[in-house]
Amino acid sequence: MSQLGSISNPYLYETIRMMIGQAIVVQTGKNIQQGILTSVLPDHIVVEVCRTPFFIRMEEIVWVTLATRRK
């Protein structure tokens, strides 16, 4: 069985995987988190905020985008 066989949303998984190492903004049902995407696994992502890892379950993600830098 392939790894993608157990992913509930393979399109979201592949899209987020392309953002590894970049600053992102993630909205969940409860809040918005902004930081560096350090890891993507089938069931969760890891976003680093001020050197602290935050684990966000894939099923909780409402939307995700690259962060823009303010000048």
Side-chain angles (χ1 to χ4, degrees):
M1 178 186 248
S2 74
Q3 184 182 12
L4 290 179
S6 62
I7 296 174
S8 62
N9 190 337
Y11 298 108
L12 178 63
Y13 174 80
E14 287 299 323
T15 300
I16 293 176
R17 237 172 46 93
M18 292 187 289
M19 298 179 182
I20 292 175
Q22 299 187 60
I24 65 167
V25 180
V26 180
Q27 165 131 21
T28 67
K30 295 181 181 179
N31 61 17
I32 294 176
Q33 196 64 260
Q34 184 170 345
I36 304 297
L37 179 64
T38 59
S39 180
V40 178
L41 290 110
D43 62 335
H44 70 277
I45 65 173
V46 181
V47 178
E48 187 175 292
V49 181
C50 297
R51 294 187 230 158
T52 302
F54 285 84
F55 298 83
I56 303 171
R57 294 186 332 180
M58 285 286 205
E59 61 190 38
E60 293 180 353
I61 296 173
V62 175
W63 56 260
V64 61
T65 189
L66 293 174
T68 57
R69 296 189 184 263
R70 295 183 189 188
K71 293 184 179 183

